[in-house]
Amino acid sequence: MIIAITGKQGVGKTTLSNSLAAVGYRNVSFATPMRDTFTHIFDSNSFDREWMQAFGESCRQVKDDIWTGKANEAVEGYLPGNVVLDDVRYTNEVMNTVIPYVTRLGGIVVRLGAPELTRFMRRYQNAGISKNTAMAVEKAYSSKAPPSYAGSHLMFAAGAAGVADEELERVFKWTQFQTHVSETDLDNFDFTPYPQLNYLELTSDVPQSTSDIFQTVMTRIDEISNERNKSGR
């Protein structure tokens, strides 16, 4: 069984993937070979997520299947076990990896979403900015700034929130990349022509909903397994 998770940063992809790993799924990430290559070339284990994304996109423009080929090798290494692809973000990943493997082995494509301010908070915390600062910026952002990820608006919110100088630089650095790097080109991708993908669209917001999402996915996995057993596949 193959579970493919797609969605923007901060919607709960890693949380769902970790829950599936806890019940025996092996994780395959398109980003892992990209990160390994990036750190090898630049001889460093310290990197910005946004710089790595830009590097990955540049390599993809040269060779479309450069990262999907590596992912396919990793999937093959885990078969016949269950696999979760936790960071499906591009059309070529769907076409080169997700559709072939889910069609062959059965599985689900899960598109996760979350309210913008929820993503905003999670992304700040993932960037190493303290919870108190993130909460203060969220308050100023929601009350005084337009609902956009544009760096100028985030910096306005940080200033309005009275962010301490030692964190303001981190906030500024983080905002510089948000409008320059594409997170995913799957926002408008139509999965409905591929019924074999058993597409689910779910929203993650509060912790309770992340648990509900996991239970929904597990229920659908059981249904698909039963259907495949009955058909002898």
Side-chain angles (χ1 to χ4, degrees):
M1 186 79 68
I2 306 291
I3 309 301
I5 308 172
T6 186
K8 294 182 177 180
Q9 186 182 353
V11 296
K13 298 189 300 297
T14 299
T15 299
L16 177 57
S17 176
N18 289 343
S19 297
L20 290 166
V23 295
Y25 278 74
R26 305 300 296 270
N27 178 273
V28 171
S29 169
F30 292 100
T32 296
M34 178 171 59
R35 181 171 57 247
D36 292 345
T37 303
F38 181 92
T39 55
H40 175 73
I41 290 175
F42 296 102
D43 192 25
S44 173
N45 289 317
S46 176
F47 57 87
D48 285 300
R49 177 190 180 100
E50 290 77 15
W51 281 117
M52 187 183 74
Q53 284 182 246
F55 170 77
E57 289 179 8
S58 297
C59 293
R60 196 179 295 108
Q61 290 174 9
V62 176
K63 190 175 188 295
D64 180 70
D65 65 350
I66 187 169
W67 307 126
T68 57
K70 296 293 185 182
N72 293 353
E73 291 174 9
V75 171
E76 290 290 340
Y78 288 136
L79 297 181
N82 295 320
V83 173
V84 55
L85 298 161
D86 73 346
D87 62 346
V88 181
R89 297 186 299 117
Y90 294 101
T91 300
N92 73 319
E93 295 169 353
V94 173
M95 304 307 293
N96 297 345
T97 301
V98 175
I99 291 176
Y101 279 105
V102 173
T103 300
R104 173 179 142 203
L105 303 171
I108 306 172
V109 171
V110 182
R111 190 202 299 267
L112 292 179
E116 187 170 349
L117 285 176
T118 298
R119 295 182 57 233
F120 177 88
M121 285 285 289
R122 289 171 177 168
R123 292 171 79 171
Y124 256 81
Q125 293 175 43
N126 288 342
I129 296 167
S130 71
K131 183 177 180 180
N132 287 341
T133 293
M135 291 176 66
V137 173
E138 178 200 16
K139 182 178 179 180
Y141 179 85
S142 59
S143 62
K144 299 181 180 180
S148 167
Y149 276 111
S152 60
H153 295 154
L154 293 174
M155 286 304 295
F156 174 85
V163 173
D165 290 343
E166 59 267 24
E167 286 205 285
L168 193 58
E169 183 177 351
R170 231 176 305 166
V171 174
F172 177 76
K173 181 180 178 182
W174 183 80
T175 63
Q176 296 309 294
F177 302 95
Q178 299 311 301
T179 57
H180 298 292
V181 180
S182 172
E183 287 188 309
T184 174
D185 69 1
L186 294 177
D187 285 346
N188 299 313
F189 187 91
D190 185 8
F191 287 95
T192 56
Y194 309 96
Q196 72 272 29
L197 299 183
N198 299 294
Y199 175 65
L200 292 175
E201 189 166 331
L202 305 169
T203 299
S204 165
D205 187 5
V206 297
Q208 290 86 345
S209 73
T210 60
S211 175
D212 292 343
I213 284 172
F214 174 64
Q215 292 303 323
T216 299
V217 171
M218 291 304 297
T219 297
R220 188 67 186 111
I221 288 172
D222 290 341
E223 293 171 351
I224 293 170
S225 296
N226 291 336
E227 291 168 3
R228 290 177 67 85
N229 288 337
K230 288 179 181 179
S231 65
R233 296 172 64 186

